[in-house]
Amino acid sequence: MTDAAPTPLDRAGRLVPGLALATGIAVVATVIGRFLPVVGAPVSGVVIGAVLGTVRRPGQVFRPGITTASKTVLQSAVVLLGAQLSLVQVARVGVQSLPVMLGTLVICLVAAWGIGRALGVVGNLRTLIGVGTGICGASAIAAVTPVIGAVSIEVAYAVSTIFLFNVAAVVVFPVVGHALGMSQHAFGLFAGTAVNDTSSVVAAASTYGSGAADFAVVVKLVRTLMIIPVVLGLAWLVGRRAERSASTAGDVALDGTGIDPAVAPARPRWSPRRVFRLVPWFLIGFVLVAAVNSTGVIPGPAHPAIATVAAFLITVALSAIGLSTDIAGFRRAGFRPLVLGGSLWIVVSLSSLGLQALTGSI
């Protein structure tokens, strides 16, 4: 007599222990984040999860829920981030702001590739630190992680590295702004393009002035839109790499059977349908929610609540990632990822100032 197949209720029940554990950690991390906004809830969640996971590794009963929290919950949070954006906000930042935002992003991604390769930082970790620094910290890392298949240790290291330099930015940036005599608008653009986490952007800009804080938040939100082309590009690269590997394996198999590889079927060409299949579902959801928000369907009073839910879901996911983290992996990674993060922080900061000087924003 064979066992009956598990019902949907059974499968859902298996998720409860791990989800409950990650959620409990996220609640504690959120409280910490309220008292220490510069640290923030996501970083607190990663740290608490990693410490608990090191003291006592979660048993098998927790694994399904932890896996779901680190993937599905993470993706759902990215969808909700779209509710913080609208096309009106994008228009308001003006043509003056876009060259600085786009320029710093391109420079950061190129620097991440070049400096990361020179330091010997592995591909996924290099990508996570580069995207997190160039776009919006933990939110960008959350969006990219499932696309490139990054593992928990890479995510935890990237988030922790970016957090360190966010704290440095909160302390250093206002001093730099005053030394350069930057206006409220210019400093807001500087903070919005060169600081990653929203709470750190607000902390740095608020220290400089309310005008800087208001503009910095808008720039930071518009910066989040850069997740779309970056994730699409990474999805395309991952697909091409997988196709190339499959093609190479096919050639080997054909050679092994004595069939001339020259007569093997040609590689399938890229079509809009095949490209569309590479687009992650959560990215489509992100765009749709942003589009709906642009129409005004989502009432203004609901925005803070949605943002709070999105932030909490990211904290739940990162808490789960922390629980899955192998602390020994940090030691194996060494100091090179930290050097990469510091180098990119300096590159982005200088490029933001330089581009503002070139465009006359300073």
Side-chain angles (χ1 to χ4, degrees):
M1 183 175 179
T2 58
D3 294 334
T7 66
L9 188 60
D10 292 332
R11 288 192 291 268
R14 293 174 184 173
L15 303 179
V16 171
L19 284 174
L21 178 59
T23 301
I25 294 173
V27 170
V28 175
T30 299
V31 173
I32 294 174
R34 293 287 175 86
F35 286 100
L36 299 172
V38 174
V39 176
V43 173
S44 300
V46 167
V47 173
I48 295 172
V51 170
L52 290 180
T54 301
V55 172
R56 184 172 182 178
R57 199 74 173 171
Q60 255 330 101
V61 68
F62 294 99
R63 301 315 304 171
I66 290 175
T67 300
T68 298
S70 62
K71 293 182 179 179
T72 306
V73 172
L74 192 62
Q75 295 164 347
S76 301
V78 174
V79 174
L80 289 180
L81 289 174
Q84 301 179 57
L85 298 169
S86 72
L87 298 181
V88 174
Q89 286 176 315
V90 175
R92 283 178 181 170
V93 299
V95 177
Q96 180 185 17
S97 304
L98 290 177
V100 179
M101 283 191 292
L102 295 176
T104 53
L105 174 60
V106 171
I107 291 171
C108 179
L109 294 180
V110 172
W113 180 82
I115 298 174
R117 282 177 63 91
L119 291 172
V121 179
V122 295
N124 281 350
L125 182 54
R126 185 170 67 223
T127 299
L128 292 175
I129 294 176
V131 170
T133 303
I135 304 179
C136 52
S139 298
I141 291 172
V144 167
T145 293
V147 174
I148 64 175
V151 297
S152 60
I153 181 63
E154 294 168 331
V155 175
Y157 206 123
V159 171
S160 301
T161 298
I162 289 170
F163 156 71
L164 175 64
F165 296 104
N166 273 337
V167 174
V170 171
V171 176
V172 174
F173 276 25
V175 176
V176 172
H178 287 299
L180 296 177
M182 300 176 73
S183 67
Q184 293 287 308
H185 182 280
F187 188 84
L189 181 56
F190 177 42
T193 53
V195 186
N196 305 309
D197 182 70
T198 302
S199 60
S200 298
V201 170
V202 172
S206 297
T207 301
Y208 204 78
S210 59
D214 292 342
F215 191 71
V217 170
V218 176
V219 172
K220 170 64 175 62
L221 290 175
V222 175
R223 228 174 118 196
T224 305
L225 283 173
M226 296 300 105
I227 288 175
I228 298 171
V230 169
V231 169
L232 286 175
L234 288 171
W236 181 81
L237 288 173
V238 169
R240 289 289 290 173
R241 189 177 297 121
E243 185 180 73
R244 191 177 297 115
S245 299
S247 176
T248 302
D251 288 346
V252 172
L254 285 171
D255 290 340
T257 57
I259 299 175
D260 185 358
V263 300
R267 290 183 184 178
R269 295 182 178 180
W270 282 83
S271 65
R273 179 180 295 179
R274 297 191 70 218
V275 173
F276 182 77
R277 284 203 299 265
L278 285 177
V279 180
W281 71 267
F282 60 87
L283 187 58
I284 296 174
F286 175 91
V287 175
L288 289 176
V289 171
V292 169
N293 187 48
S294 299
T295 66
V297 172
I298 301 176
H303 289 171
I306 295 174
T308 299
V309 172
F312 183 73
L313 291 180
I314 288 177
T315 304
V316 171
L318 291 179
S319 299
I321 287 171
L323 288 168
S324 305
T325 299
D326 177 14
I327 295 298
F330 279 97
R331 293 194 294 269
R332 291 194 296 270
F335 68 93
R336 289 176 295 181
L338 195 63
V339 173
L340 173 60
S343 300
L344 294 183
W345 177 64
I346 294 172
V347 167
V348 169
S349 301
L350 293 178
S351 63
S352 177
L353 293 172
L355 289 169
Q356 284 201 63
L358 289 175
T359 57
S361 299
I362 295 182

